Amino acid sequence: MVNYLYGLPSFIAYLVTAIILLAAFMYCYSRITPHHEWTLIREGNAAAASAYGGSILGFTIPLYSAMAHSINFIDFVLWGVVAFVVQLATFFGVKLFLRKQGESLSQHITEGHQAYGILMASVAVAVGLLNAASMTW
């Protein structure tokens, strides 16, 4: 029985750290975006919920990959931070691209335009998948 629980401390360390990284990402993402995700979601704004949910998945997928492929705990944390930065950069990249098109991503999300929320979610998940695949070396 003891052999079955040998990895429990590592399991707890990785899980708790992943949850802390996820919570930190969710907090930072909602603070750096010009629109207020939680307020919009409480008001029933599906565009905000889609964009925010996509960004969470876009971060969690490479975080999973970092956890599964890291050589040790510190390696996992460092690659988790990389995933964090890449996902934040993804938001700014989409925002910049749309600004060049004469549109404001945050304004569209605030106004509840679902197409923009779905676009942001899709790009976030796509980048997250590419980020995760890049971590499998």
Side-chain angles (χ1 to χ4, degrees):
M1 177 74 173
V2 175
N3 289 339
Y4 291 114
L5 299 177
Y6 179 74
L8 188 59
S10 292
F11 165 79
I12 292 170
Y14 278 79
L15 180 62
V16 168
T17 302
I19 291 170
I20 290 169
L21 284 168
L22 177 59
F25 172 79
M26 291 172 64
Y27 176 78
C28 289
Y29 187 90
S30 68
R31 299 297 294 170
I32 66 159
T33 57
H35 50 278
H36 304 283
E37 280 87 355
W38 289 105
T39 302
L40 293 171
I41 291 168
R42 283 186 195 103
E43 293 171 353
N45 186 317
S50 297
Y52 193 49
S55 71
I56 291 167
L57 290 173
F59 171 68
T60 304
I61 294 166
L63 186 62
Y64 157 79
S65 183
M67 191 181 294
H69 297 99
S70 63
I71 57 173
N72 59 41
F73 183 76
I74 298 299
D75 190 47
F76 157 62
V77 172
L78 293 174
W79 283 109
V81 171
V82 169
F84 195 110
V85 171
V86 167
Q87 200 55 231
L88 294 179
T90 299
F91 170 78
F92 286 112
V94 172
K95 180 180 171 183
L96 181 64
F97 175 78
L98 289 176
R99 181 177 287 156
K100 287 183 180 180
Q101 307 302 315
E103 302 175 16
S104 167
L105 174 64
S106 292
Q107 185 64 35
H108 282 292
I109 289 174
T110 299
E111 293 173 0
H113 300 156
Q114 290 185 15
Y116 286 85
I118 293 168
L119 172 67
M120 187 63 236
S122 299
V123 172
V125 171
V127 169
L129 286 168
L130 295 173
N131 191 5
S134 298
M135 293 180 185
T136 62
W137 59 93

